[in-house]
Structure formats: structure tokens, C-alpha cells
Amino acid sequence: MSYILSPPVRTTCAHCGEDCPESDHPGAVPRFCCSGCRTVYTLLREHGMENFYRLDPAAGRSQRRYQRDDYDWLETEALAATLARYHDEEVWRVELELPAIHCIACVWLLERLPNLLPGVRRSQVDVTRKRATIEFDPRQTTLRAVAELLADIGYPPVLRRADTRQAGAADRSLLYRIGVAGFCFGNIMLLSFPEYLGLGEDAGATLIGRAIGPGMLLLSLPVLFYAATGFFRDAYTGLRLGRITLDFPIVVGMLALFGRSVYEIAGGSGSGYLDSLAGFVFFLLIGRWFQSYTFTRLSFERDYHDYFPIGAYRRDGAGNLEAVAVADVRTDDVLIVRPGQIIPTDGILLAASGAGIDYSFVTGESKRKRTAPGQAVFAGGRATGKALTLRVTRSADESYLMQLWRDGRRAGDAPVGPPHRMVGVFTGAVFLIALCTFIFWYRSDPATAYRAAVSVLIIACPCAIALAAPFAYGSLQRLLGRAGYYLSSAATIDRLAGVNTFVFDKTGTLIDSGVGHALTWMDSSRKGEAPVFLAMCRYSTHPRSQAIAAALAAEGMEAPTTTAPAEEEGRGLHLCWRGRVYRVGRADFCGLQDLPPGTYATVDGKAVLRLDTRPPRLRPGVRGALRELSTRGKVYLLSGDDPPKDNFWEAYFPADQLHFRMSPFTKQTFVEDLQRSGNRVLMVGDGLNDTGALRTADVGMAVSEDESAFSPACDAIVSARRLGFLPSVLLTCRRLRWVTRIAYGLALLYNLVGLSYAVSGALSPVVAAILMPASSITIVLVASTGAYLLYRHDLYHPGS
Amino acid sequence: MIVILLLILLSLLIAGGFLLAFFWAVGTGQYDDEVTPSIRILFDSEYTTNDD
């Protein structure tokens, strides 16, 4: 294709398709937004893999915002082996999570990894789970090389200990059960055909007629003793906890069906209701499967192991560095944390000249931390500037941050279903009707009495009721995913419908995280000097320095290796390099006069650029959402920052519902206090510091700019652009309760019709075989259509 | 009429074969990822530079 060999002149990056910054070489093609993208492009060209760009011209991942991780510790085989699913001398198999996977071209590129790196034998991508299974030969390459290559081409792996459990084992068991139930259901129906056509009486006399009954019985055994075991177990668990769950009347109905059928077949009086039994189980299992849907590409159960490094560098007595697993780090070990790495344990700094620690990931707020020897540091901070040396005071599992996870951990969700009281009343009514029927018939006709009573139990089996909630909630859960709201389970919808208090974290949740600063070039002829500023600012942990560094890196600049700048606390940075004087800081620090306050960068006293701080801006739609929510319940704002001087937030929140200087623990306690006074709380946050509050709240919702990126453990992940829809989503969840109520009403109506046959002792297998699937299918249709119509009405916006 | 019995057994056998095929498909992980294979099939063979 010619356009690959000579791409048209355009101002977007040839690799990632993002806008290119102004280039020093206008007209040069292909254009790149940064040198990282250029590297990948060249690498792919060298290996004859330009077709990557044919699949999607902007398929690549931008390399601009990407900070390279340190994979040195993977050289230590004992550590690398913990990541492998299988390894021996000839082959290693690893499953790596690559959150950057997003499109067809990703699959194409990643599955051609063997072309890029000799020694890689096979690479298989799973798009939905965002994982790649990679097999390589340890004699030719190493896990470190694989990880570094993946990072270089824009797919930095998230390294985590290999999951020893078989992936998806639980789902597979359910699939097997559905297969068995479906097989038996179909074949029992086939054998029931003479009965359906009214030939049962005649066939009973023949050999075939006599063979059919035992045949059906044989086919029903796997249904009852394999496919349906889950319902027996759930009913038993419920009873042991002193609760009547919906599984109980279902199990009673199944046993009545089976017992009655065995009695009829053994006595030669009929062929029983085994088709209905198998159909029941089949439909109910499909309901369970539908409900078990999760957004596999998102992870709602991140814990600290996923965020913290697996390996750390320990200095032994002789001063040598060795890579060890963080789990093996003990108190009083001496660790070296390199720039860019995350501190794995709490400790005390031994040496840290000029080093800084960035806690923004833990606290979510951009506060600066100065470092000094003897100072306590906490796990979760990222070392910036220089390497830190620290003595461990608490092992990783006991660290301050871990307490956030330990507290407020919630048990898994129960499956959705009708309220407990309804189940109790229903079960009681069924037994009462069965008893009355029995007493009514017993005097005149004992045989009919038994038959009618058992028929009542059979026909009242609440299969349809059990299907209503899974299909209604499951459908809405899928549809909400389209609207940018990803819920961890269908039961979250029910809890969302009940919340009446709303708590928001500030930074990153209500305001855009990246728009607080603006960079202005004052002398663009000196842009060539700007990379030095980037290098200087990287040494500093001051938020302004970080903002300048981020802005320069976003322009595609690369920092040269310089010496560390001198830092004057609160004023600025100063560096003499290659005969020139570079300064970054306040106007008076830079020697500039008559200029508005701001942060400036100068070369030899001449201003090159200025950093302005813009006022915070709410995310789109949030203003209206806040107003609407405040009509539903109290809306609180929690922030770890100091209160702003301009009372920005008082336009949106009543003053007594604004809380500043909140630590992760006080946030959690705040939510607990609200719950104690009877409120049901929706917590919306984004940082790791919100984890405790997110877990404690009735619903914890994490806001994410990029759904594939890290988000703390929560019940729901919402795409940041869609936060404004929150009131509509809550409304839909509340309205969905009406859909399930209508479905329950219909199911009860079917039950009443069936019961009228049953109490009169006239329930024939054919009536049962028609009524039961008909009711189940009606309910499934009503529940899923209802959920869809609600979504269309409240949330569907064409083109959004 | 006894031949119907044979036919029923045969049909059961065939259906059982499909059931086993389903078990095999689930067991070899073909239901673990339902999206990627549908993407993979879209790549023209010319894109593959070396297949083993």
C-alpha cells in the first residue's frame, strides 16, 4: 500500500494518531508526537510489520504520558517464576495483564510478538480480559526482555503473581451443567411426544411404551443429581441460616415433580412430569448464567498486591543489592527505592539527599512531601528525583495503607431476587393451599388427595419468579455498561436504587484532573532549551514543577541527563549546565520584574515560558447532576486539601456539607457515621485514598478517565465523561423495581391458573409442560424488555 | 415397531456425541474468550509473515 510507504503530510502522529506538537522540522514525514512513538514505528518497520497501521491508522498507544517502569528485578529467576503459570528449562508460560489492549490492531501486533523478539514462541491475546498468554524459551530470552519489549511498544504489563486457580473454572462448571440439563431436557421431551399427542394410553401396552418411562427416568437422573445440585445446596444453606430463600420452594417443587414421576412410572399409571423438571432446571441455570455476567475487562477487586511492586531491592550487610520479593521483606531490612518506583513498606529514611516522595496516588491530592533522613515514610509513595534508602519498620502486609483494605471489606453479593418477606409469604401460601387441597379431597377420594396436593407443590414451583430479577437486573447491568456505568454485579443496581445520601471526593472526581495549569511560551525561539527545564523539574516534587514537567513531556520532549538542580524551598530551582544558567520559579527568583505572578522558566535571565494556574473547572454535566441529586438527599464533598481561598465550592454545596483536610481514615469514618444515622450512602471517588470509604459505603463508585487504568476496589466504575448522567442512572435503577414487580405479578398469575388445575386434581403432564415454559419465557421477555425500555427512555442519547 | 426403539437409541447416541463435543469445547477453554477469535479471523493471511 503506497500510503504506508509515503504517509500523507498531516499533523497527527503516525503511530498513535494524536496531534503532534509543533515540530522543529516542518515537512518531515512521517510525523510523530514523541520519540517513543518514533521508536515503536521504526521497530515495526524494521520487522516488516507496517501492516499494523493498515488495520487502524491510529492504532498505536501514545508514548507521551508513559513513564517507564523498572523491570530489573525480573532478572532474579525466583521472583520472575512467581509470575509464571508454568515453567521448566525449555519453556515458560506467563499470562500478563496488558490494560492497553483496545483494538483489532493490538491483537494483530501482540500475537506477532514472536517476530519481534527471538525466543518468544507463542503469544495469544484475550481482548475481553485484556491479557496475553506468552510462551517463551528461557534459554533465548527472559521475562524481563519480554516485559520491556511490551512496555516499549506501548503495552506496559501489570505484573502480578500467577493465579494458581484455573481461570474461569466456576463459569465452566455452570456451562457443563447447562449442557447436561439442555441435553436431558431435549431428549425427555422427545420421549414425551406420544404423551403430548395423546397416544400415551395406547402406547402403554406396547414394549416401546413400557421402555419410554424408565428411559425418561434415566435421563432425569443427571438433571437432578448433577445439574440441579446448586439449588439444593443454596436451599440448605438458607435453611441453616434460618431463612427461607426462593431456592426452598423450587427444591420442594423439584422433589415433588421427581417423586410423583417415579411413582407414576413405577406404577405404570403414566409417564410423569420429568420434561417439566428438566425444563425447570435448564431455564433456571440459564438465569444464573445471565446473572453471573461481569465486565471481565474491568477489575473491581483490585487489592494492594496489584498496585505494589512484587520485587524490591535489598541491601545486604556487604552493601550489595539483591532483588527480593516484597512479601519476604522483614523489619530492619534496608531497601533501595529507585526513582519512579513505589515504596513497598513503611520505613524510616536513612539517606535521601534531594529526593522526594510523591504520595498523590495514595492521597489523591497534590501535596508535596519533603524528605529528610530519619523521617518516616509510608508504603504507596513514589520516589521522585533520586533513589531513597530506607530501613523497614513494618512489613508490607502491616503497612498503613493495608489497614484501609483490611477495614470495611464487604462480603460478596447475594444473587438478586424478590424480597425475603415475599418469598416467606409465597412459600407459606403454597404449603397452606396444598394442605387445604389435601384435606378437602381426603374424605371423598384419598388417591386424588395425594395427587392434587403434590400437583399444587409442582405447579407452584416459582421458576418464573426466580427468573424475573436475574433477567431484569442482568439486562440493565449490560445496558448501563453502554452508558459508561460499569457495575460489578447485578445486585449493585438494587443498592443504587436505595441510596439517599451522596458523598463526593473532590480531586479527579468532580473536577478535571489535568486542566489546572496552562503553559505559555514567552520566547518560542528558545524551545530548544526547554528539555533542560524538563530535567530540572523532574528532580522536584513541587506541584508546579510536576505540572511543568508533565506539560513539557506532553510536547514530546525528552530530558537530557543533567546534574541535580539546587532547590530553594518555596522559591524555585536553579541549575548551571553547559555554561548557561537555568532557573524555574517565582518571577523574583528568576530575576524578572514587572510581570504578573506565576511560575517562570528562564535561560540566562531571559524568560522562556510561564505556567499559569487556572481555576478548577467542574466536569461536564456535573453542575446539573449535583443540583438534581440535592433534591434527592444530602450531598457532601470530602477533600484532603485545604479549603480554597475563594470559596469555589460554596456555589455547589451548602457550607456545612463541605469537609476539607480529610485523611483516608476520616473519610471512612465520615461514611460510617452517616450510615449509623440510618442513611444509605453512595460514595463517589477516584484515588486509592478513597478505598476505605468506597468499601464502607453502600455503593462505592470509582470515577475513571480511562477505564482500563487502575481504579480502587469498588462496586461500580464510571467513565469520567458520563458522571453527569448519575441522577438518570439512579432514577433508572429505582424504576427497575417496577419492572420486577410487574414480572412477579405475571408469574403469580400463571401460578394461579396452574393452581386452579392442580387443586381440582386435573393437572395433566401436558398442561404442566405448556404452562411452565410459557410462564418462564413470558417473564424473561417482560423483564429484559422492561429493562431495555427504561434504558431507552432515561439514558439513551443518540450520538453520545 | 421395535425399530423405533433402535431409532431412539441412535438419536440419543448422536445427541450424546454433541454433548461430548460441547464438553470438549468448554474443557479446552473455547468459551473462555468469545471475542478474540472473532477478531483473529479477520486478519488476511497476507499479514502473517511467518507461521509455523
Side-chain angles (χ1 to χ4, degrees), chain A residues 534-548:
Chain A
L534 175 59
M536 289 166 72
C537 291
R538 287 237 167 113
Y539 277 104
S540 166
T541 53
H542 195 280
R544 296 284 177 87
S545 309
Q546 303 267 318
I548 294 177

PDB file of all heavy atoms in Angstrom, chain A residues 534-548:
ATOM      1  N   LEU A 534      12.719  20.445  31.696  1.00  0.00           N
ATOM      2  CA  LEU A 534      12.065  19.171  31.996  1.00  0.00           C
ATOM      3  C   LEU A 534      12.912  18.361  32.968  1.00  0.00           C
ATOM      4  O   LEU A 534      12.416  17.830  33.968  1.00  0.00           O
ATOM      5  CB  LEU A 534      11.826  18.400  30.693  1.00  0.00           C
ATOM      6  CG  LEU A 534      11.250  16.988  30.808  1.00  0.00           C
ATOM      7  CD1 LEU A 534       9.907  17.006  31.514  1.00  0.00           C
ATOM      8  CD2 LEU A 534      11.088  16.367  29.426  1.00  0.00           C
ATOM      9  N   ALA A 535      14.220  18.294  32.657  1.00  0.00           N
ATOM     10  CA  ALA A 535      15.110  17.523  33.525  1.00  0.00           C
ATOM     11  C   ALA A 535      15.123  18.104  34.938  1.00  0.00           C
ATOM     12  O   ALA A 535      15.064  17.364  35.927  1.00  0.00           O
ATOM     13  CB  ALA A 535      16.525  17.525  32.942  1.00  0.00           C
ATOM     14  N   MET A 536      15.172  19.453  35.034  1.00  0.00           N
ATOM     15  CA  MET A 536      15.206  20.088  36.345  1.00  0.00           C
ATOM     16  C   MET A 536      13.929  19.795  37.131  1.00  0.00           C
ATOM     17  O   MET A 536      13.966  19.436  38.305  1.00  0.00           O
ATOM     18  CB  MET A 536      15.339  21.609  36.188  1.00  0.00           C
ATOM     19  CG  MET A 536      16.695  22.069  35.708  1.00  0.00           C
ATOM     20  SD  MET A 536      16.627  23.786  35.175  1.00  0.00           S
ATOM     21  CE  MET A 536      16.454  24.629  36.748  1.00  0.00           C
ATOM     22  N   CYS A 537      12.795  19.961  36.460  1.00  0.00           N
ATOM     23  CA  CYS A 537      11.519  19.813  37.156  1.00  0.00           C
ATOM     24  C   CYS A 537      11.298  18.377  37.622  1.00  0.00           C
ATOM     25  O   CYS A 537      10.593  18.140  38.591  1.00  0.00           O
ATOM     26  CB  CYS A 537      10.374  20.253  36.247  1.00  0.00           C
ATOM     27  SG  CYS A 537      10.381  22.014  35.952  1.00  0.00           S
ATOM     28  N   ARG A 538      11.886  17.426  36.900  1.00  0.00           N
ATOM     29  CA  ARG A 538      11.730  16.030  37.312  1.00  0.00           C
ATOM     30  C   ARG A 538      12.380  15.785  38.666  1.00  0.00           C
ATOM     31  O   ARG A 538      12.022  14.851  39.370  1.00  0.00           O
ATOM     32  CB  ARG A 538      12.355  15.108  36.259  1.00  0.00           C
ATOM     33  CG  ARG A 538      11.513  15.033  35.013  1.00  0.00           C
ATOM     34  CD  ARG A 538      11.129  13.601  34.709  1.00  0.00           C
ATOM     35  NE  ARG A 538      10.080  13.564  33.693  1.00  0.00           N
ATOM     36  CZ  ARG A 538      10.247  13.085  32.473  1.00  0.00           C
ATOM     37  NH1 ARG A 538      11.417  12.590  32.138  1.00  0.00           N
ATOM     38  NH2 ARG A 538       9.256  13.066  31.624  1.00  0.00           N
ATOM     39  N   TYR A 539      13.366  16.610  39.016  1.00  0.00           N
ATOM     40  CA  TYR A 539      14.030  16.417  40.299  1.00  0.00           C
ATOM     41  C   TYR A 539      13.179  16.912  41.453  1.00  0.00           C
ATOM     42  O   TYR A 539      13.416  16.573  42.601  1.00  0.00           O
ATOM     43  CB  TYR A 539      15.373  17.171  40.320  1.00  0.00           C
ATOM     44  CG  TYR A 539      16.504  16.420  39.684  1.00  0.00           C
ATOM     45  CD1 TYR A 539      16.973  16.762  38.423  1.00  0.00           C
ATOM     46  CD2 TYR A 539      17.117  15.365  40.370  1.00  0.00           C
ATOM     47  CE1 TYR A 539      18.018  16.078  37.836  1.00  0.00           C
ATOM     48  CE2 TYR A 539      18.162  14.673  39.780  1.00  0.00           C
ATOM     49  CZ  TYR A 539      18.614  15.037  38.517  1.00  0.00           C
ATOM     50  OH  TYR A 539      19.642  14.345  37.963  1.00  0.00           O
ATOM     51  N   SER A 540      12.226  17.752  41.150  1.00  0.00           N
ATOM     52  CA  SER A 540      11.476  18.415  42.211  1.00  0.00           C
ATOM     53  C   SER A 540      10.119  17.765  42.395  1.00  0.00           C
ATOM     54  O   SER A 540       9.532  17.251  41.444  1.00  0.00           O
ATOM     55  CB  SER A 540      11.305  19.890  41.865  1.00  0.00           C
ATOM     56  OG  SER A 540      10.335  20.476  42.689  1.00  0.00           O
ATOM     57  N   THR A 541       9.615  17.821  43.622  1.00  0.00           N
ATOM     58  CA  THR A 541       8.290  17.254  43.879  1.00  0.00           C
ATOM     59  C   THR A 541       7.242  18.333  44.028  1.00  0.00           C
ATOM     60  O   THR A 541       6.101  18.046  44.332  1.00  0.00           O
ATOM     61  CB  THR A 541       8.300  16.413  45.161  1.00  0.00           C
ATOM     62  OG1 THR A 541       8.836  17.224  46.207  1.00  0.00           O
ATOM     63  CG2 THR A 541       9.121  15.178  44.999  1.00  0.00           C
ATOM     64  N   HIS A 542       7.627  19.602  43.853  1.00  0.00           N
ATOM     65  CA  HIS A 542       6.652  20.677  43.979  1.00  0.00           C
ATOM     66  C   HIS A 542       5.585  20.529  42.890  1.00  0.00           C
ATOM     67  O   HIS A 542       5.913  20.213  41.751  1.00  0.00           O
ATOM     68  CB  HIS A 542       7.364  22.025  43.828  1.00  0.00           C
ATOM     69  CG  HIS A 542       6.530  23.166  44.294  1.00  0.00           C
ATOM     70  ND1 HIS A 542       5.542  23.706  43.511  1.00  0.00           N
ATOM     71  CD2 HIS A 542       6.510  23.837  45.457  1.00  0.00           C
ATOM     72  CE1 HIS A 542       4.949  24.686  44.171  1.00  0.00           C
ATOM     73  NE2 HIS A 542       5.518  24.785  45.371  1.00  0.00           N
ATOM     74  N   PRO A 543       4.310  20.739  43.249  1.00  0.00           N
ATOM     75  CA  PRO A 543       3.250  20.551  42.247  1.00  0.00           C
ATOM     76  C   PRO A 543       3.470  21.365  40.992  1.00  0.00           C
ATOM     77  O   PRO A 543       3.169  20.908  39.886  1.00  0.00           O
ATOM     78  CB  PRO A 543       1.983  21.001  42.971  1.00  0.00           C
ATOM     79  CG  PRO A 543       2.292  20.914  44.423  1.00  0.00           C
ATOM     80  CD  PRO A 543       3.776  21.081  44.572  1.00  0.00           C
ATOM     81  N   ARG A 544       4.003  22.595  41.136  1.00  0.00           N
ATOM     82  CA  ARG A 544       4.237  23.420  39.950  1.00  0.00           C
ATOM     83  C   ARG A 544       5.299  22.787  39.066  1.00  0.00           C
ATOM     84  O   ARG A 544       5.171  22.760  37.847  1.00  0.00           O
ATOM     85  CB  ARG A 544       4.695  24.822  40.360  1.00  0.00           C
ATOM     86  CG  ARG A 544       3.665  25.598  41.145  1.00  0.00           C
ATOM     87  CD  ARG A 544       2.579  26.109  40.204  1.00  0.00           C
ATOM     88  NE  ARG A 544       1.533  26.798  40.925  1.00  0.00           N
ATOM     89  CZ  ARG A 544       1.559  28.082  41.234  1.00  0.00           C
ATOM     90  NH1 ARG A 544       2.594  28.800  40.883  1.00  0.00           N
ATOM     91  NH2 ARG A 544       0.581  28.634  41.887  1.00  0.00           N
ATOM     92  N   SER A 545       6.370  22.296  39.692  1.00  0.00           N
ATOM     93  CA  SER A 545       7.414  21.633  38.905  1.00  0.00           C
ATOM     94  C   SER A 545       6.837  20.434  38.176  1.00  0.00           C
ATOM     95  O   SER A 545       7.109  20.212  36.991  1.00  0.00           O
ATOM     96  CB  SER A 545       8.543  21.144  39.825  1.00  0.00           C
ATOM     97  OG  SER A 545       8.986  22.175  40.650  1.00  0.00           O
ATOM     98  N   GLN A 546       6.014  19.666  38.904  1.00  0.00           N
ATOM     99  CA  GLN A 546       5.412  18.482  38.295  1.00  0.00           C
ATOM    100  C   GLN A 546       4.528  18.891  37.115  1.00  0.00           C
ATOM    101  O   GLN A 546       4.510  18.219  36.088  1.00  0.00           O
ATOM    102  CB  GLN A 546       4.576  17.753  39.336  1.00  0.00           C
ATOM    103  CG  GLN A 546       5.338  17.348  40.573  1.00  0.00           C
ATOM    104  CD  GLN A 546       5.888  15.951  40.460  1.00  0.00           C
ATOM    105  OE1 GLN A 546       5.212  15.059  39.991  1.00  0.00           O
ATOM    106  NE2 GLN A 546       7.110  15.748  40.879  1.00  0.00           N
ATOM    107  N   ALA A 547       3.809  20.012  37.266  1.00  0.00           N
ATOM    108  CA  ALA A 547       2.924  20.449  36.189  1.00  0.00           C
ATOM    109  C   ALA A 547       3.738  20.852  34.960  1.00  0.00           C
ATOM    110  O   ALA A 547       3.380  20.523  33.828  1.00  0.00           O
ATOM    111  CB  ALA A 547       2.061  21.616  36.668  1.00  0.00           C
ATOM    112  N   ILE A 548       4.860  21.563  35.202  1.00  0.00           N
ATOM    113  CA  ILE A 548       5.706  21.956  34.062  1.00  0.00           C
ATOM    114  C   ILE A 548       6.275  20.712  33.391  1.00  0.00           C
ATOM    115  O   ILE A 548       6.249  20.573  32.159  1.00  0.00           O
ATOM    116  CB  ILE A 548       6.847  22.886  34.530  1.00  0.00           C
ATOM    117  CG1 ILE A 548       6.262  24.211  35.026  1.00  0.00           C
ATOM    118  CG2 ILE A 548       7.830  23.140  33.395  1.00  0.00           C
ATOM    119  CD1 ILE A 548       7.293  25.167  35.580  1.00  0.00           C
TER     120      ILE A 548
END
